[in-house]
Amino acid sequence: MIRKKWKRMLALSMACTMTVSMAVPAVAAQEGETSLQTAEAAELQETPEQFEARTGYHLPDGYTYVLNNGFVIIQTDGSPQITPVATPEPTPEETPTPTVTPTPSATPDVTTPTPAPTETTTQPSATPEAITTPEAADPAQEAEAENIPVITAFPQSVEVPVTVEDYRFWTVSASKKAAQAKANLEIKEEMSEDSRSVGSLKEGGICYILKKEEGWYYVESGNVRGFVEKKAVKKIGDKNEALLTPVYAVEMIAPAENQAYTYYRATIQQTEAKKSYALCKGDELNIRADKNTDSEIVGTMKKGNLCYILADETEEWVYVESGEVRGFVKKEYLQTGKKVNKKVKKTGEDQFTLAVAQVDPKENPALYYTITSMKAGIPDGAIRDSIVDYANGFLGTVWEKEGTSLCEGIDTKEFAEQIYEAYGYDVTDKDGNVQEQGKVSVDQAKPGDVICYGSGEEASAAGIYVGDGKIVQASETRGKVATVKVDTTQESFALELFEDTKVIAGSKNISEVNATEAMYGQDLGLFKLTYYCACAKCCGKATGITASGARVAEGETIAVDPSVIPYGTKVIINGHIFTAQDCGSGVKENHIDIYVDDHERALALGCNYAEVHLMK
């Protein structure tokens, strides 16, 4: 099942644009090599042509010479050492899972790491022996069936989508999201009846549907977040009497222990906290993961640094946020009150220095002590998908003339502008007019672009394009935020405020042809190629050290199945020389994972097939 999902993901990842501009050098004659040699061979050092000219020997059909550094190996009886021509075997019957991690929306957290090997593989000699690939189905047919291209050169450039990464929760409209339990039920940590229960909900109890999955809903009920089967609840209207005195789920485990708690960070609860300023008193103050000095230090502040108190304001230890750092400090080391409020407002919040993080925010144990923050969150992922997802979260919000609340009431123009403001983009210029830069025709619009109606100073944002000729709009006609068709009767255009970034695929020259024709050795056949980087998503741990002990290097490192291509073996792929240095749990048989320096390029390069040769 997992393997099938990966195949679908890989097919999606190949939607990126590839520009191919280099041809593969001609392939030299297939030659196996061995480390065997004799004194005669060392003395004579004859090429096959020289040997045949001297002896008159004719090589039998279906055989080739066994060479040592290009010279014929002469046996003790004076005859040459020969071997049957190896016919390259095709790739294995079942395509292994690649180590590269695509960004499908459905299973955002699923990765296949490239861990260290579980057994030691003997290093090959300087002159590798001929390699025989395992039996399998025709790789060309497999590539065609999976709609994965066979390439003859690495792409010179690829389209990498602009991505956003965040950890904060964001508030969505509760409209049309309420559901009622048909009977007593338990909210699950995973989409499985066998998974752990994180909360219980009585018959008639209320939950809010935040995300729809196949056969399941991801819901929120009070402080419980997890999965319920679709058949276990019924949707109810916004005016249902049950919402007047709602009964919510009871926690069975703490949110910090619930793996489903942050599966999808939308919530109907308020996420933007009221500002409660505080300034650091001490020369240096540690921000900790818990309310004691033995807990992990997650950040540090210096004297005069600004933070905001988010929770436990009257207790000995308070929960604070300063920039990207969230955790606990003793209140006695903070300066608060009217004087601080006045000072911050007079000086300006952006003029104060903030805390320095000691751990990645997502590795901070105190990160979700409260879901409130000083700013709203946004969905992770490719920015276009994120914008559409974010806009859809407000479906059902009431349209209100000159309204400014995404959840309580908003007008058409304000809706589109606020969606983009959350991502740091302005739809209008300093004069309040729609930006001139980035205008394209509606038929060129991509999901996530702004659709505008009118022209010149009369133009205004109408909604967020979601594809198929539709936009999410705070619609005056519908009286709410809804998905509607683009009005083709009006003068309209699309506004593209960001472009998918085109990056060079070979910043360290993986696409450079550095193998000469004479370097080509045995043809190992057609291999599946995927791409990975040294991040934790790709490798489990971001050490940068390969299974063979070498440090990863773009343009050199590849992960292989060591039983097929031993560590240290040099191979030629699309004219470039690589060294087998790494392995991966998903890299089996005729599959090679090529190392690149950054994750986005690894995803964008996707998956393809190519002929692989041993280097002589």
Side-chain angles (χ1 to χ4, degrees):
M1 183 66 181
I2 294 173
R3 197 179 300 282
K4 290 181 179 177
K5 286 184 179 179
W6 272 108
K7 288 183 179 179
R8 290 197 294 269
M9 295 174 194
L10 287 170
L12 286 172
S13 71
M14 288 310 300
C16 62
T17 304
M18 292 188 177
T19 307
V20 178
S21 63
M22 293 190 301
V24 171
V27 178
Q30 177 180 322
E31 296 173 345
E33 294 182 355
T34 182
S35 59
L36 297 177
Q37 55 183 325
T38 63
E40 291 88 348
E43 291 174 2
L44 294 175
Q45 291 191 331
E46 293 178 318
T47 65
E49 293 78 11
Q50 292 170 332
F51 175 76
E52 290 177 359
R54 179 177 65 82
T55 64
Y57 180 81
H58 293 288
L59 188 68
D61 291 339
Y63 283 79
T64 186
Y65 292 103
V66 177
L67 302 178
N68 180 29
N69 294 324
F71 300 115
V72 176
I73 296 174
I74 302 176
Q75 302 181 91
T76 54
D77 62 358
S79 64
Q81 186 172 345
I82 61 175
T83 185
V85 175
T87 303
E89 298 289 347
T91 54
E93 183 176 346
E94 186 176 18
T95 304
T97 307
T99 54
V100 170
T101 310
T103 17
S105 60
T107 51
D109 296 327
V110 175
T111 59
T112 305
T114 308
T118 56
E119 59 184 70
T120 304
T121 302
T122 304
Q123 295 288 339
S125 60
T127 308
E129 296 186 9
I131 291 174
T132 302
T133 54
E135 286 189 30
D138 184 354
Q141 291 180 0
E142 189 171 343
E144 184 177 355
E146 295 183 29
N147 195 29
I148 297 174
V150 175
I151 60 173
T152 56
F154 287 112
Q156 288 295 292
S157 62
V158 292
E159 294 284 350
V160 177
V162 178
T163 59
V164 290
E165 186 172 353
D166 196 23
Y167 58 83
R168 293 176 172 87
F169 281 72
W170 69 94
T171 302
V172 296
S173 170
S175 179
K176 305 297 183 184
K177 292 181 174 65
Q180 206 168 17
K182 294 179 181 179
N184 292 346
L185 61 82
E186 292 185 350
I187 299 173
K188 296 292 184 177
E189 193 170 30
E190 300 174 24
M191 287 178 274
S192 167
E193 275 299 315
D194 297 328
S195 67
R196 183 166 62 162
S197 297
V198 297
S200 61
L201 186 62
K202 291 184 177 180
E203 180 179 354
I206 299 299
C207 63
Y208 289 88
I209 299 168
L210 300 177
K211 192 173 181 62
K212 298 175 183 179
E213 301 290 6
E214 189 174 345
W216 293 80
Y217 289 134
Y218 179 71
V219 302
E220 176 179 67
S221 181
N223 202 34
V224 178
R225 298 167 64 85
F227 299 93
V228 298
E229 288 189 278
K230 287 184 179 180
K231 63 184 180 182
V233 298
K234 61 180 179 181
K235 295 181 181 180
I236 59 176
D238 294 338
K239 297 181 179 180
N240 192 292
E241 290 184 3
L243 296 176
L244 299 177
T245 55
V247 175
Y248 293 124
V250 176
E251 289 181 17
M252 296 177 71
I253 64 171
E257 299 174 12
N258 178 4
Q259 297 299 311
Y261 197 79
T262 57
Y263 175 80
Y264 184 64
R265 290 175 285 102
T267 176
I268 64 164
Q269 300 177 43
Q270 180 62 36
T271 54
E272 290 192 61
K274 182 181 177 180
K275 291 181 179 179
S276 179
Y277 303 116
L279 297 176
C280 178
K281 283 183 184 179
D283 291 334
E284 184 164 295
L285 178 61
N286 292 326
I287 303 173
R288 296 188 177 271
D290 206 347
K291 299 179 180 183
N292 61 72
T293 54
D294 294 327
S295 61
E296 181 182 3
I297 297 172
V298 297
T300 57
M301 286 194 295
K302 293 187 180 298
K303 190 171 184 178
N305 285 182
L306 175 67
C307 66
Y308 303 85
I309 299 176
L310 298 182
D312 302 339
E313 192 166 3
T314 61
E315 297 184 16
E316 180 185 5
W317 288 80
V318 294
Y319 183 75
V320 302
E321 177 179 276
S322 183
E324 302 304 304
V325 182
R326 292 160 64 90
F328 299 93
V329 298
K330 274 195 170 183
K331 191 175 180 180
E332 63 183 278
Y333 298 119
L334 296 178
Q335 182 183 358
T336 59
K338 292 181 180 179
K339 287 185 178 180
V340 170
N341 292 345
K342 186 176 180 180
K343 181 178 180 179
V344 173
K345 289 176 181 178
K346 182 179 179 179
T347 307
E349 295 174 50
D350 58 349
Q351 298 302 308
F352 285 85
T353 304
L354 302 176
V356 176
Q358 300 298 315
V359 299
D360 184 280
K362 291 186 177 181
E363 301 299 321
N364 179 359
L367 183 62
Y368 296 118
Y369 181 75
T370 173
I371 63 173
T372 57
S373 175
M374 296 318 301
K375 63 179 183 179
I378 53 176
D380 279 341
I383 193 170
R384 294 186 180 280
D385 295 337
S386 178
I387 288 173
V388 171
D389 192 5
Y390 188 56
N392 280 331
F394 303 105
L395 289 171
T397 295
V398 175
W399 177 87
E400 180 182 313
K401 186 176 181 180
E402 298 183 359
T404 59
S405 172
L406 284 167
C407 291
E408 297 175 9
I410 195 161
D411 86 356
T412 307
K413 176 173 174 287
E414 187 73 17
F415 173 75
E417 291 181 1
Q418 283 199 28
I419 295 296
Y420 260 68
E421 282 173 10
Y423 292 82
Y425 292 93
D426 292 320
V427 174
T428 57
D429 58 24
K430 62 181 181 180
D431 297 320
N433 299 320
V434 172
Q435 297 273 10
E436 285 293 325
Q437 189 172 2
K439 286 184 178 180
V440 296
S441 62
V442 171
D443 60 5
Q444 292 180 294
K446 301 174 185 176
D449 288 342
V450 182
I451 299 298
C452 302
Y453 293 153
S455 61
E457 294 184 359
E458 300 301 316
S460 65
I464 307 299
Y465 188 67
V466 296
D468 296 327
K470 297 177 181 178
I471 59 175
V472 175
Q473 177 188 61
S475 170
E476 181 178 2
T477 305
R478 298 280 188 92
K480 62 183 179 181
V481 176
T483 303
V484 300
K485 290 184 178 179
V486 175
D487 187 351
T488 55
T489 64
Q490 296 198 53
E491 186 173 355
S492 59
F493 59 89
L495 195 62
E496 186 179 70
L497 295 180
F498 51 85
E499 296 180 0
D500 292 337
T501 306
K502 184 171 283 191
V503 299
I504 301 302
S507 62
K508 297 291 180 64
N509 298 320
I510 70 165
S511 55
E512 176 192 0
V513 176
N514 58 6
T516 65
E517 191 171 324
M519 293 179 180
Y520 277 71
Q522 178 187 349
D523 184 350
L524 301 182
L526 196 64
F527 276 64
K528 172 176 276 190
L529 306 180
T530 51
Y531 304 82
Y532 75 108
C533 71
C535 75
K537 288 183 179 179
C538 287
C539 301
K541 290 184 179 180
T543 63
I545 303 298
T546 64
S548 65
R551 180 165 290 279
V552 291
E554 183 169 329
E556 180 176 9
T557 301
I558 56 174
V560 299
D561 182 341
S563 67
V564 176
I565 303 177
Y567 293 143
T569 303
K570 292 189 180 294
V571 298
I572 301 172
I573 308 173
N574 293 330
H576 188 87
I577 302 167
F578 294 93
T579 305
Q581 295 178 328
D582 211 354
C583 69
S585 60
V587 180
K588 303 297 182 186
E589 300 172 331
N590 281 47
H591 178 193
I592 290 175
D593 215 7
I594 298 175
Y595 172 79
V596 292
D597 277 340
D598 61 274
H599 192 66
E600 258 104 32
R601 263 193 314 125
L603 296 181
L605 286 164
C607 174
N608 33 61
Y609 281 81
E611 291 286 337
V612 176
H613 291 78
L614 276 180
M615 191 184 87
K616 286 183 182 178

